[in-house]
Amino acid sequence: MDSFVREKLQEWGLMEWASAFEENYIDEESFLLLDGQTMKELIQPLGPRMKAIRKISELVSSDMVDGGSASASEIPSAPSRSLDQSCPATPSTPRSRPLNGPVSPVLSSPSLPRSTLQSPSGRAASSSQTTSTPRRPLSSLQSSSRGYRASSSRTSPTNLAFDVRNILRSKQGGEDIEEEMNDGLLSHKMRIKAVRILVSHLIEEFGDRPRSHVKEALARSIVQEFPGLKGGVGNGYEAWYTPSIEKHAATGYLEERLRNVRKRSQERNPQAVKRNRTETPEAAEPPAVSLEDEDLEPAAADALTQWLRHNKEPLSLVKEYHQKTLRARLLWIRDNPKERVFEKYPRLLDTPGLMTMDFSSVQPGCGDHLFLMWTPQIARKVLQFSGRQKDWFRHLGIAEDSSKLSDNEVCNVGVQCLPCVLPLGAKKINGRNHRAPIAQALTSFVDVQPIGIDIPHYLETMRETFKAPREEAIQPLILVVGDRASPEQSFVIIDGEAVPQQSFMHAVDYCFKAFYVFNIEYPWQCSTSWQFLQCVVYGIGVSGAKLSSVAHSLEAYLKVKRPISAQK
């Protein structure tokens, strides 16, 4: 909860329920999106809740009239689709697999990730669908104070551009926004203001449903005017606008703001005609990928597996037989989700290097990327970015001044603050989208326990979770004993076992690879953090990734240079 929310609650006499806003991480942006349904979870008594709903409605209305967003007069009252049609619902799957599909190379992978960093995601509207608000003809655009630039008298989708600086300067406070955008590190508050100004301009000139190439042109113009905001993934402007991909709706700061404006416009015009939703056909699954290994007969693979169960030495023979049985092992893991993997393949538990060997066979060329790329310089930039967005240090219990941390401590804290700054994981429960509390997201990512913890008792408690199939249990997760920044011990909890690791960063690396080898989906509570590491650090599934706007902004600020093998 930021100072804006706290001031409003105090002003309206609602500080009694401030703790609920704090626990649900309500900031200024999400505060203005609260409605009667979501407010029930924050304020239980009817009287204060109705008061809060009315106050927020008045605040939003005055904000739009004052120029923060489009006013009612700026938004045409032509028929428009309902919110649930323009913003499809999140899929009902509880978690998202690694974005490039299942880990086994002998299996068919899904069409795309079952959930994305930024919900909602769903079927994109058909391009043939008729829009409800009039748009200004592109040929009528002029290059002047209107905020556009065109390379010819007839503007086409390829040469449409916006003078972003003049658009910002035309509004109060625009110069302050421009200064931060020049630095490449846009704070949460300034980003909200910038998006409101830019979207207000879009609506004024193109209506509240501009075509995708118009939104894409504005996003492209933003990163061209301010190169510090350009990311290294895709076209570099995905944080501002990402077109729809197959079943996944368009995302980005501009798209999300437009949806909110359309929702409010429709609430003012409840008699608007609802368009029938046109769904895109399901995308065909890509063909299965075959693994290039020795074609062992099932009997031979079983014999080698039995030998591995009872022998730890010689190490060279253990690794040789382990590699030969890779295909049979991955198939068994896929077909037996309720079985404990370490009971059948104990060498994965007690022989160092075998997890990395399996991961490198599934995802060749990126096994060492975490240690190559997650440097103290990158980690410090993560903390700088996080400090401008959220109060990460308060949730982690760490001093705000990170300059006193050592290089190793900065790397450790940089990873652990990801759930604080990225969107919290969400899943559908009883037909409603449920977003994980920040404390639950942190614990399912890294569980911190005090020195002297009884590990066997801890595992006995955790085994209650592992009675469920692997795809339903919260695993694997990282356990650190002692301090977050400099833990005494680090473990990976998986399959009901605590696997000791050399350091915290080794635990992160082992845990990430275990998702692929064990064919496990990311826990939904912290899925956004693992997906960020997957795409930005390990470079897996970059081309088909549907990262959130905040994740794209963070990636753009980091300017991560992945090894050549990760850029594919």
Side-chain angles (χ1 to χ4, degrees), residues 337-394:
K338 295 185 179 181
E339 300 294 332
R340 295 183 62 188
V341 178
F342 287 146
E343 288 185 356
K344 187 172 180 65
Y345 300 100
R347 301 291 78 80
L348 279 171
L349 175 63
D350 56 29
T351 305
L354 294 190
M355 186 70 73
T356 298
M357 181 187 298
D358 281 6
F359 175 80
S360 297
S361 299
V362 175
Q363 295 291 338
C366 56
D368 56 354
H369 284 182
L370 179 66
F371 300 100
L372 292 176
M373 299 171 58
W374 198 262
T375 62
Q377 292 75 17
I378 289 294
R380 289 188 188 279
K381 293 187 73 174
V382 170
L383 297 182
Q384 291 172 3
F385 180 90
S386 303
R388 301 293 294 271
Q389 310 297 318
K390 306 288 184 181
D391 298 335
W392 61 269
F393 49 88
R394 178 166 52 86

Side-chain angles (χ1 to χ4, degrees), residues 5 49 62 74 82 126 130 143-144 146 161 176 245 379 390 394 399 432 473 497 537-538 559:
V5 178
R49 183 168 75 245
S62 63
E74 292 176 308
S82 62
S126 171
T130 306
S143 57
S144 61
R146 301 301 296 170
D176 295 334
I245 302 176
K390 306 288 184 181
R394 178 166 52 86
R432 293 180 56 193
E497 301 289 345
V537 177
Y538 286 90
K559 294 293 189 296

Side-chain angles (χ1 to χ4, degrees), residues 67-69 164 167-169 171-181 186-202 218 222 226 229 240 253-254 257:
S69 61
V164 178
I167 296 174
L168 294 175
R169 292 170 184 171
K171 300 293 184 180
Q172 184 178 3
E175 293 183 356
D176 295 334
I177 299 172
E178 183 182 2
E179 183 178 352
E180 284 201 8
M181 295 177 78
L186 193 59
S187 67
H188 180 71
K189 183 177 181 180
M190 287 298 186
R191 189 251 298 166
I192 292 176
K193 292 181 178 179
V195 171
R196 287 177 176 175
I197 293 174
L198 295 172
V199 170
S200 178
H201 179 83
L202 267 185
L218 177 55
I222 292 171
F226 305 98
L229 300 177
W240 299 91
Y253 297 133
L254 302 177
R257 178 62 179 173

